Amino acid sequence: MYSRLPANQQEIAAYGQAVPRQSKVFSFLKSDNGALDISMYGVLYGDWFKGSEEADLVAAIKSCAPTDAITLHINSEGGDMFAGIAIRNILEAHPGEVTCVVEGLAASAASIAAMAGRTVMRSGAMMMIHNPWTIAIGDADDMRGVAEMLDKVGESLLDVYEKRSGLARAEIRAMLDAETWLTATDAVAKGFADEAAVVRQVRREEHAAQLAGELGRARVTVGRAARERPVEDRRELLREDRREDRP
């Protein structure tokens, strides 16, 4: 059973520990066994006047015990690159099991956050990576300084993606230059994700196997019962069995 984490100071006092308010981008559910589910739906951004919503995420993670499992569900077009890096780093620092599930899109900064722990791509989900960009105002010297800063930021991105994927730095740089969109299968093949989950298909196959097993057990039961009947009765049971097998 899951419970919503408290959204205000009164609820926090009742909950008995420091936990975050609900934010616009993040929502939190905590199970009775301590596992934390985080949904990250929306743009990652920091507000100089109101504070960053990533602080809510940090507080939620810090409320977990070292052995608690954390699952981050992602559907985000990205945003502030340093927010994505911070999310990845704090998740990586958690001693317990961490899973990032891309439910729809993990683009730009959100793809960096998705590099933490074990990454699962849902059916139809995508990931997008590209070079960092920004908006700047100033003279020529200012613009040159911004360009140098973006080059350094790009190297930071390469560090994260290279460590996760194991790809050559030159190949990742080319992918960033091209603004690369990855399907679930592509992300796994390139090393940006661990698994492309096909939940519905797996469930269908499990159900079919279960039905086949039940049918086999039923035939064995019928066969054993038939051996105890007269010959004529056994022939009738065999005819009925064949009729059931016909399309």
Side-chain angles (χ1 to χ4, degrees):
M1 181 179 293
Y2 284 85
S3 60
R4 178 180 59 82
L5 291 190
N8 54 51
Q9 293 300 321
Q10 289 74 24
E11 290 187 37
I12 288 174
Y15 195 74
Q17 57 182 326
V19 290
R21 61 180 171 80
Q22 296 293 94
S23 71
K24 294 180 180 178
V25 177
F26 300 99
S27 60
F28 312 92
L29 290 173
K30 200 161 190 178
S31 68
D32 295 336
N33 63 5
L36 177 65
D37 259 36
I38 306 168
S39 292
M40 188 177 83
Y41 278 44
V43 178
L44 304 175
Y45 64 93
D47 191 316
W48 289 358
F49 302 100
K50 297 180 181 178
S52 170
E53 290 194 352
E54 285 71 56
D56 297 338
L57 176 69
V58 172
I61 293 173
K62 287 186 177 297
S63 74
C64 293
T67 55
D68 290 345
I70 298 176
T71 302
L72 176 65
H73 303 270
I74 302 172
N75 184 32
S76 171
E77 53 269 61
D80 185 339
M81 191 206 79
F82 291 108
I85 289 177
I87 292 169
R88 171 193 172 271
N89 287 342
I90 192 170
L91 287 172
E92 284 283 311
H94 179 65
E97 180 182 351
V98 173
T99 304
C100 292
V101 182
V102 182
E103 304 285 1
L105 175 64
S108 189
S111 72
I112 305 171
M115 298 296 100
R118 177 171 169 270
T119 305
V120 177
M121 302 287 292
R122 293 290 195 195
S123 178
M126 296 193 74
M127 187 179 290
M128 185 273 280
I129 62 173
H130 66 159
N131 283 320
W133 59 271
T134 190
I135 299 173
I137 299 174
D139 60 20
D141 288 337
D142 293 326
M143 296 301 104
R144 278 187 284 271
V146 170
E148 291 176 3
M149 179 271 292
L150 287 175
D151 287 339
K152 292 181 179 179
V153 171
E155 293 299 315
S156 295
L157 289 182
L158 285 169
D159 290 341
V160 173
Y161 293 134
E162 181 183 28
K163 180 180 179 181
R164 176 53 195 263
S165 68
L167 295 175
R169 207 169 178 87
E171 182 176 354
I172 301 171
R173 192 186 302 276
M175 294 175 69
L176 294 175
D177 290 342
E179 185 180 291
T180 302
W181 289 77
L182 303 166
T183 65
T185 303
D186 294 336
V188 173
K190 290 291 186 180
F192 292 97
D194 299 290
E195 178 185 349
V198 189
V199 177
R200 188 178 299 275
Q201 180 63 28
V202 169
R203 287 177 179 171
R204 280 202 297 263
E205 291 173 356
E206 289 177 350
H207 183 58
Q210 181 182 1
L211 289 177
E214 291 175 355
L215 179 59
R217 287 192 295 272
R219 286 184 172 175
V220 169
T221 302
V222 170
R224 289 174 179 172
R227 285 193 296 269
E228 300 174 358
R229 297 188 178 186
V231 174
E232 199 56 41
D233 288 349
R234 280 184 281 173
R235 289 175 179 171
E236 181 60 29
L237 284 171
L238 181 59
R239 284 193 291 268
E240 289 177 1
D241 191 38
R242 288 173 177 172
R243 283 196 295 269
E244 289 176 0
D245 285 341
R246 292 174 184 173

